[in-house]
Every structure is written in C-alpha cells, then in structure tokens.
Amino acid sequence: MAGNAILSAFVASLCLSSGASAWPFAKRQTLSYADIQKQALANANKVLDGTLSDGMTRTTCNKNNVAVRKEYGDMTKDERLEYIRAVKCIRSKPSKLPAGKYPGAKTRYDDFVVVHMNMTPSVHSTANFMHWHRYYIWAYETALQTECEYKGTQPYWNWGKYSDLTVSPIFNGDEWSMGGNGDYVKHSGGMMGIPAGPGGGCVTKGPFGNLTVSLGPLMSTMDTSLKIPSNPSRDGYGNNPRCLRRDVNNYYMTRSLTMSNLANHITSNKAIGVFQSSLQNDSPTMPAIHSSGHFSIWGDPGGDVYVSPGEPTFWLHHGQLDRHWWMWQNYVEAEVKTRTSQYEGGTNWMNPNSAPGKATDAQWLDVVAPAGKNGIPSNQIFSTTAGPFCYIYQ
Ligand SMILES: *[C@@H]1O[C@H](CO)[C@@H](O)[C@H](O)[C@H]1NC(C)=O
Ligand SMILES: [Cu+2]
C-alpha cells in the first residue's frame, strides 16, 4: 500500500515534469476494483442525468426509474428470500416450448436452458458474447418479474469478494443462500488443471437442495468416475432426471479471481476485442476469468458450457460478467462513448474466420424473449440504460 503510494507519487511527479498526458497511466496503476466500480457508477449517473453522452438515445430510462442490481451478499435477508422464491416459482411454471420437441424441458426455467443450449455455438467466443448474455440475463430477470411477481433485480456474485466461497452468503447452505455445496464425494479434477474440491456430489442443503435437473449433460467436465448419467438423446434435450451437483471450491479465488487481477483485466484491455477474448481464452494451465467463475461452482450441469444455466447460480456469475463489462464501458469518463459501442469478433465459435458480427445483427431469445423484444439489434444492447434496458450496478 505505502509502496504503491510512493511509487505512484514518483510516477506522477515524472509525468508532471514531462506534461500531463501520462497522468491516466499513473492513475490506472493504482485503481482498485472498488474504485473502478465507483467511477463507472458516477459516469453512468452522469449519462442518466444528461451531463455525459454515451452516444445512445434514451427515451424512458432516467435516474428516477433506473433499476439497481446488487451483490448477493449486499441484499437483505428478505430480499434474498424474495429472489429465491421467484427462482423457485419460475421452476414451477410450465414450459412454453413446443410439446415433445425437448423432452427434458419440464418447466419455464428449462426454457432458458434450452435456448442457451441452442445458441451456444453462436454466443460464445463471438462478437456477441457479452451482448447476448446481457440480453439473456435481462430476459431471465424480466421473467422473474412478470411471470413470478418479483419486485427485485437480478443479483450478481462479485468474484473477488469471498476468500472462502463455500461459506459465502451464496453457498453457505443456510435458508438465505442459493443452497449449499455438493456433498463430498471422492473424485478427480477436470480439464485445464481444475482440482477436485470439497464437493462433487448432490446438493442436499439449503434452498436448492435435492433439486432435480433433466436437460443434459452435453459437454460435462466432471470426473467420469462420478457416473453422471448420459442423456438419452445425443443432443442433450432428452429427459435425464438426476440431482444437481456442485463442487464449490476456492482454487481460483487466489489466482484468476483476485480483486487485483480483475482490476488489472479492466485497466489493461482498452479494446473490446482483447477485453472479450482475454476474458474467455483459457490457457493450458489456467482458465480465464469467465471459466474460472463457472469452475468455482463446477458440478453438473454448472460445468457444462451448453447446459450451465441449469445451475441456479449461473445467473449470479453471468450477472457479474455483465457488471465487469459495464465497469469497463463506463469507468473512464472521456471514453464512455467509444467503449459503449465497441463491437468486434466473428459469429461462430468453431470458426475464427466466420462472418464478422455487425452492430445491426439481430439477437434472438426464442421463447424466453420478453413480449415484443425478440430479435433486437446488437446496438440496442450496448448500454444498460438504453434500448430495452434500464439498470445500473451498485
Ligand atoms: C434432501 O434429501 C435428504 C435425504 O432424503 C434429506 O436428508 C435432506 O434434508 C433433503 N434436503 C432438503 C433441502 O430438502
Ligand atoms: Cu453462456
């Protein structure tokens, strides 16, 4: 801390003597993740009150009606109970998919899982990775609100906040949590050096204890000795009732998901292309930030890129991914406008030379799109307070 302060004072004095242009560099070195959030929120508020432009046109969203998404542990117990109630509610409503087409889709919640399974190859490692998932999470939040009378917003999991995730308010297994870890069963680690954690078995404690999942697996990363039953259908859409498994572990907490690594990721990637690809590109020894969050929960179907939304905390992890992007878009006042509309990458994950994504490309959510909001162009998803959205992060 003191060392840093001395260093930045030293760098600052060097910059002053050679002109003020290098100031932002010195500032970047010392910005914490909390500082980035603070700056992003201040700028987002300026955009809302019209004193700063992000280049978007907004009609109805303003400071008085903007929704605020909160960190799960920052919600009151009553707010958490209300969120849990709404998730259980959406899991009890009937599916709106064509009957018989997806035998594993039993509930309205499963509709979201099927849509993600269908879209997986076009919305990961592509130009619309951040955009489509922003749209998708918003659709889920909207379904909780319109189909289950939920008055709150979609919570997120601030990755660097809990040094021991297993006892965090999200996974400690108490009645206000998203359920406990999986029961311990002996198992081996997974790809890219994921070590076996303290769970691996069925979740039996807390709000989502003894939950049955039916879709998938399609691309499981769990130890085969756990004998997770295969789906009767090769496409993963068959009915395959089994327990929800987790292996909540702290392996990534001291590696890719530290607050300093997260802050560094935002401050060192100025263009959306490298920002997005470095978020997703795993190295042979260390998953990138996106996979690190998934593998910190791991399990079945949480560790399966196609079926992962079947894990009820998928939405907290991807909510945070959206927040991380929102922070990146907004934290530099002079760059809010250029960062908001950056869009870069292909359209198919298997083919790096696939057609480049265009800002006018329509995004699809099939049966989980809120009424009248299917097929909206990517450029309507650039800002969280323009287009169909009206939310910020606290
Ligand atoms: C889950 O099932 C086990 C075994 O029947 C039981 O002991 C446990 O209380 C159940 N948990 C929940 C949250 O219902
Ligand atoms: Cu996804």
Side-chain angles (χ1 to χ4, degrees):
M1 223 28 208
N4 266 345
I6 291 164
L7 182 68
S8 59
F10 175 67
V11 172
S13 65
L14 277 182
C15 296
L16 276 180
S17 58
S18 62
S21 64
W23 257 104
F25 174 78
K27 253 170 117 180
R28 254 202 324 271
Q29 297 304 90
T30 55
L31 271 187
S32 71
Y33 205 54
D35 291 336
I36 296 170
Q37 160 70 33
K38 224 176 273 171
Q39 288 184 199
L41 183 58
N43 292 333
N45 279 323
K46 286 180 194 167
V47 169
L48 281 174
D49 67 23
T51 56
L52 178 66
S53 172
D54 66 353
M56 303 286 132
T57 312
R58 45 186 53 71
T59 45
T60 54
C61 188
N62 59 54
K63 252 182 159 159
N64 301 319
N65 64 6
V66 72
V68 180
R69 291 189 181 168
K70 301 174 187 170
E71 211 282 330
Y72 195 79
D74 290 341
M75 290 164 80
T76 66
K77 285 180 171 174
D78 281 350
E79 286 172 334
R80 285 184 244 159
L81 285 181
E82 180 54 10
Y83 177 70
I84 293 160
R85 180 202 61 76
V87 174
K88 287 186 169 171
C89 163
I90 205 83
R91 298 190 76 102
S92 71
K93 300 268 176 180
S95 167
K96 292 183 182 175
L97 286 164
K101 193 167 177 199
Y102 305 96
K106 300 294 182 193
T107 74
R108 185 68 175 135
Y109 186 93
D110 294 329
D111 291 359
F112 283 87
V113 184
V114 166
V115 168
H116 187 270
M117 290 169 74
N118 274 331
M119 300 292 295
T120 292
S122 58
V123 299
H124 298 95
S125 305
T126 48
N128 63 354
F129 171 65
M130 303 303 290
H131 302 69
W132 186 85
H133 283 85
R134 168 172 287 177
Y135 184 32
Y136 180 57
I137 289 153
W138 169 78
Y140 181 69
E141 178 184 53
T142 304
L144 296 178
Q145 292 164 346
T146 59
E147 300 175 38
C148 284
E149 293 87 43
Y150 179 52
K151 300 279 187 284
T153 54
Q154 175 57 46
Y156 65 90
W157 157 39
N158 190 3
W159 300 309
K161 184 174 172 181
Y162 308 107
S163 55
D164 186 350
L165 192 60
T166 65
V167 297
S168 69
I170 305 172
F171 291 111
N172 66 16
D174 71 18
E175 61 182 297
W176 305 282
S177 71
M178 293 297 290
N181 199 355
D183 292 345
Y184 175 72
V185 288
K186 196 170 178 303
H187 61 292
S188 306
M191 55 200 247
M192 290 175 298
I194 314 172
C202 301
V203 174
T204 60
K205 292 180 199 70
F208 297 98
N210 299 336
L211 193 81
T212 299
V213 294
S214 308
L215 290 157
L218 195 51
M219 205 185 262
S220 181
T221 50
M222 294 297 277
D223 181 359
T224 51
S225 77
L226 290 172
K227 298 203 164 35
I228 295 169
S230 309
N231 196 279
S233 175
R234 275 179 63 183
D235 57 18
Y237 294 126
N239 184 27
N240 184 27
R242 62 199 190 281
C243 72
L244 169 74
R245 284 173 189 262
R246 285 179 183 155
D247 191 13
V248 179
N249 65 86
N250 298 322
Y251 180 73
Y252 305 97
M253 301 302 137
T254 52
R255 295 172 171 85
S256 38
L257 299 183
T258 61
M259 289 291 191
S260 62
N261 192 52
L262 298 174
N264 190 44
H265 179 257
I266 288 186
T267 55
S268 60
N269 293 290
K270 270 185 84 110
I272 188 76
V274 286
F275 175 80
Q276 256 196 166
S277 59
S278 55
L279 255 183
Q280 295 173 92
N281 290 351
D282 304 307
S283 88
T285 50
M286 180 55 64
I289 291 170
H290 167 241
S291 320
S292 295
H294 280 297
F295 291 145
S296 296
I297 305 165
W298 208 17
D300 168 49
D304 183 315
V305 61
Y306 285 86
V307 200
S308 52
E311 158 59 59
T313 57
F314 168 93
W315 312 94
L316 277 67
H317 166 50
H318 264 274
Q320 160 69 15
L321 200 76
D322 186 58
R323 171 179 175 250
H324 189 73
W325 176 33
W326 172 88
M327 288 163 69
W328 177 88
Q329 287 184 306
N330 289 290
Y331 86 105
V332 185
E333 181 166 359
E335 296 174 14
V336 168
K337 195 169 178 172
T338 52
R339 286 173 182 250
T340 297
S341 59
Q342 284 187 32
Y343 196 62
E344 204 181 310
T347 42
N348 187 298
W349 71 344
M350 296 300 179
N351 179 6
N353 300 316
S354 57
K358 298 188 300 296
T360 48
D361 287 349
Q363 300 297 327
W364 302 101
L365 288 174
D366 196 1
V367 296
V368 302
K373 302 283 194 253
N374 203 8
I376 64 173
S378 303
N379 57 21
Q380 293 268 306
I381 303 173
F382 286 160
S383 166
T384 66
T385 56
F389 310 138
C390 189
Y391 67 87
I392 52 176
Y393 288 96
Q394 150 189 301

